[in-house]
Amino acid sequence: METTTDITHDSDSTNNESQIDVKRMETIFHLIISSLKSGRSSFLMDLVVELLWPVISLQETSNKDLSTLAKSAFELLKWRILPPEILERAVPVILTSINDPNWRTRSASLSYLRTFMYRHTFVLPEVEKGQIWNSIEKLLVDSQVEVREHAAGVLASLLKGGDEELSRDFRDRAYSEAQSTLKKRKQRKSRSESIASVHGAVLALAASVLSVPYDMPSWLPDHVTLLARFISEPSPVRSTVTKAVAEFRRTHADTWNIQKDSFSEDQLEVLADTSSSSSYFA
């Protein structure tokens, strides 16, 4: 009886502490939201940036009220342009959250980075910018498929309007990695390779293809054709290829009669085999 009483007492104490912690976080989120809505948040940005990690990490919790407040703070904070002195302190926090053990936190970090990079690409120092790109690229082989696909979407956005040197380097590495992976798969030398590794190589290639939805730069025919060659792989690789090629078809449909001249006959045949409508690439 004494043991049972002690356990009950400890349980009640723990629940009380948890409730206090939740109330404390709700107060903090109300502070962040109020400051960002007031138009005078610059006076508190040094404090707000220190609270960036809980805003990101508490997007999905069992406490719905707390998550709702976190999402409200998140939506306001992700569009806020940070001054240079605050930006320097924010990047380490972002890099920590993007490597969090919880996959939902990693995914939320990617959502934040999509807007953060859009707002800060041209003011971020090269070192920090490179660190963020590398962190996102590593998530292409994440153990969680949702995170891998999310990372590819963010990289496609960065490739559209980011640093041209970083973009070119990423495209070249993505193409080389995909070529190497496909060669190994054909020679059946990559049985030890994980699905995540193969999927990551395909997602990097897909991000490059989807970063130019209407134009036809000189490198695109080779990239989209190589992507189409992975169609025989099992899911989720196959579904990634199907969706990416379908999106390529959709965005290039209006000018395809002109743009198809950039492809060789062999490349058109590969695309025709991948397409659900074989006559489209004829």
Side-chain angles (χ1 to χ4, degrees):
M1 290 294 293
E2 290 177 358
T3 303
T4 304
T5 302
D6 290 341
I7 293 174
T8 303
H9 178 74
D10 290 342
S11 178
D12 291 341
S13 177
T14 301
N15 289 335
N16 288 335
E17 290 178 2
S18 297
Q19 291 176 3
I20 292 172
D21 289 339
V22 169
K23 294 297 182 183
R24 182 180 295 115
M25 287 310 306
E26 288 178 348
T27 302
I28 290 173
F29 288 150
H30 278 298
L31 171 65
I32 295 173
I33 294 168
S34 298
S35 65
L36 292 172
K37 284 185 174 181
S38 70
R40 299 172 63 85
S41 58
S42 57
F43 296 101
L44 290 174
M45 282 311 298
D46 57 339
L47 172 64
V48 171
V49 77
E50 298 294 336
L51 300 170
L52 183 57
W53 186 82
V55 170
I56 293 174
S57 63
L58 295 176
Q59 294 293 296
E60 298 291 341
T61 69
S62 58
N63 189 308
K64 299 303 180 183
D65 291 337
L66 186 62
S67 293
T68 299
L69 283 172
K71 289 176 181 178
S72 297
F74 183 89
E75 289 300 317
L76 291 169
L77 189 55
K78 72 179 184 180
W79 290 104
R80 185 68 165 79
I81 297 179
L82 305 178
E85 64 276 9
I86 302 298
L87 192 60
E88 184 178 343
R89 296 166 58 183
V91 172
V93 179
I94 297 170
L95 293 176
T96 299
S97 66
I98 204 172
N99 293 304
D100 193 89
N102 189 316
W103 75 267
R104 295 185 185 278
T105 301
R106 298 196 298 274
S107 183
S109 301
L110 287 169
S111 296
Y112 180 78
L113 277 174
R114 186 190 293 269
T115 309
F116 175 85
M117 292 298 287
Y118 174 76
R119 302 287 275 177
H120 298 91
T121 288
F122 300 107
V123 295
L124 266 174
E126 292 300 319
V127 174
E128 283 78 0
K129 192 186 301 183
Q131 289 175 337
I132 291 174
W133 271 72
N134 290 335
S135 295
I136 298 174
E137 285 184 46
K138 289 178 181 178
L139 294 185
L140 289 174
V141 293
D142 193 88
S143 58
Q144 195 75 24
V145 64
E146 292 89 347
V147 175
R148 297 200 296 266
E149 293 175 344
H150 197 170
V154 174
L155 284 168
S157 297
L158 293 181
L159 289 164
K160 288 178 183 178
D163 186 284
E164 183 55 37
E165 185 175 344
L166 285 172
S167 299
R168 188 185 308 110
D169 178 64
F170 174 80
R171 287 196 303 267
D172 292 345
R173 286 186 291 106
Y175 187 81
S176 298
E177 180 65 24
Q179 267 190 324
S180 176
T181 300
L182 185 63
K183 183 178 180 180
K184 290 178 182 178
R185 302 295 279 183
K186 286 185 176 181
Q187 296 176 350
R188 301 188 180 278
K189 292 182 179 180
S190 63
R191 292 179 179 177
S192 60
E193 281 189 316
S194 65
I195 290 295
S197 178
V198 178
H199 194 204
V202 171
L203 283 168
L205 202 58
S208 298
V209 171
L210 298 178
S211 68
V212 282
Y214 303 106
D215 298 327
M216 186 63 68
S218 58
W219 54 264
L220 183 55
D222 288 337
H223 278 63
V224 71
T225 304
L226 180 58
L227 176 65
R229 293 184 187 279
F230 282 90
I231 192 64
S232 60
E233 293 291 327
S235 290
V237 178
R238 180 186 177 89
S239 60
T240 294
V241 174
T242 302
K243 291 176 183 177
V245 173
E247 182 64 12
F248 168 81
R249 290 174 52 213
R250 185 188 70 80
T251 56
H252 290 82
D254 292 342
T255 54
W256 181 248
N257 287 334
I258 299 173
Q259 292 178 340
K260 71 177 182 180
D261 293 337
S262 301
F263 292 78
S264 66
E265 290 298 324
D266 290 340
Q267 289 176 326
L268 290 174
E269 287 183 12
V270 172
L271 291 175
D273 292 338
T274 309
S275 172
S276 59
S277 175
S278 59
S279 61
Y280 178 86
F281 290 103

